[in-house]
Amino acid sequence: QVQLQESGPGLVKPSETLSLTCAVSGYSISSGYYWGWIRQPPGKGLEWIASIYHSGNTHYNPSLKSRVTISMDTSRNQFSLRVSSVTAADTAVYFCARLPTGDYYFDSWGQGTLVTVSS
Amino acid sequence: SYDLTQPPSVSVSPGQTASITCSGDTLGNRYASWYQQKPGQSPVLVIYHDNKRPSGIPERFSGSKSGNTATLTISGTQAMDEAEYHCQAWDSSTAVFGGGTKVTVL
């Protein structure tokens, strides 16, 4: 059974870059599936950020694309997210998740990690 | 941008049926998925491909779609079903979520 675990700093200063990693166990990310990031500001709904396939193919939320980079490290079986020039509006719980290849739903999620943007 | 609209809240008595709607332009041509999220937890997939239930999800959860509106139905609602429910679809390689519906079991 696949398990996903997010990690990264819980506090980031405004204008700096937020970096998160999702470690995957129970499945080799190089074998398939899309892998993605979704966030949820406190008290608000879910917002998809980006997804990446093992081939390196990526998709980004147009509203965040200019500040976001998703990448994959198959040797460590993990994928990562970077969000640059963060503001208080980027404060959220960040989830990593798995998306079956060619399909339209997220079937496994990490527990989420809270990132606060504050000086 | 593509939007999915859900009611902010739905109330239901134990044992009764709760229905949560999700509306969006051309949703009739897209697959809808539904997620259950309890406070402090990550979302759990309860319905995909409009009406398919993942293994381990109770039969009281069902999905349907009519025109551009998808509906999640919880039959014989239990106290443990109190949660936020999110619908989701894809538009041009972009995943879109609805605003979420808080289901309260009174």
Side-chain angles (χ1 to χ4, degrees):
Chain A
Q1 179 177 341
V2 66
Q3 291 189 314
L4 298 90
Q5 178 67 59
E6 306 88 347
S7 63
L11 181 64
V12 180
K13 290 182 168 55
S15 79
E16 295 189 344
T17 296
L18 176 165
S19 295
L20 296 172
T21 296
C22 181
V24 180
S25 58
Y27 187 85
S28 172
I29 63 174
S30 61
S31 296
Y33 284 90
Y34 269 90
W35 305 89
W37 289 95
I38 298 105
R39 70 181 183 181
Q40 185 173 35
K44 296 188 178 181
L46 300 168
E47 179 182 38
W48 172 75
I49 304 170
S51 296
I52 186 167
Y53 191 51
H54 71 87
S55 64
N57 188 28
T58 57
H59 297 291
Y60 291 99
N61 186 324
S63 68
L64 298 169
K65 185 174 183 177
S66 64
R67 299 192 295 124
V68 171
T69 303
I70 189 171
S71 60
M72 177 179 281
D73 185 343
T74 55
S75 66
R76 296 185 176 185
N77 214 42
Q78 63 187 34
F79 60 102
S80 299
L81 177 74
R82 289 170 57 89
V83 182
S84 63
S85 305
V86 297
T87 69
D90 294 307
T91 293
V93 175
Y94 286 74
F95 298 99
C96 57
R98 186 179 75 169
L99 175 70
T101 305
D103 222 314
Y104 307 97
Y105 56 90
F106 299 94
D107 67 349
S108 296
W109 296 64
Q111 67 182 29
T113 187
L114 174 63
V115 178
T116 301
V117 179
S118 175
S119 56
Chain B
S1 64
Y2 188 73
D3 294 319
L4 294 173
T5 301
Q6 298 180 236
S9 62
V10 166
S11 297
V12 60
S13 299
Q16 299 305 301
T17 297
S19 295
I20 308 159
T21 58
C22 174
S23 300
D25 287 346
T26 67
L27 184 57
N29 299 327
R30 311 169 194 273
Y31 278 130
S33 305
W34 291 92
Y35 304 85
Q36 176 194 67
Q37 185 180 27
K38 296 182 179 180
Q41 298 184 18
S42 54
V44 173
L45 179 70
V46 294
I47 293 290
Y48 67 100
H49 288 186
D50 298 336
N51 55 21
K52 303 287 191 295
R53 213 175 30 251
S55 61
I57 300 302
E59 291 185 6
R60 64 180 181 274
F61 290 90
S62 63
S64 62
K65 194 166 65 180
S66 177
N68 291 328
T69 298
T71 301
L72 173 68
T73 301
I74 312 172
S75 304
T77 306
Q78 301 182 9
M80 67 173 65
D81 301 329
E82 186 163 288
E84 189 92 4
Y85 291 85
H86 309 271
C87 65
Q88 177 252 316
W90 284 83
D91 173 61
S92 301
S93 299
T94 299
V96 178
F97 289 91
T101 298
K102 169 65 176 173
V103 171
T104 301
V105 183
L106 299 172

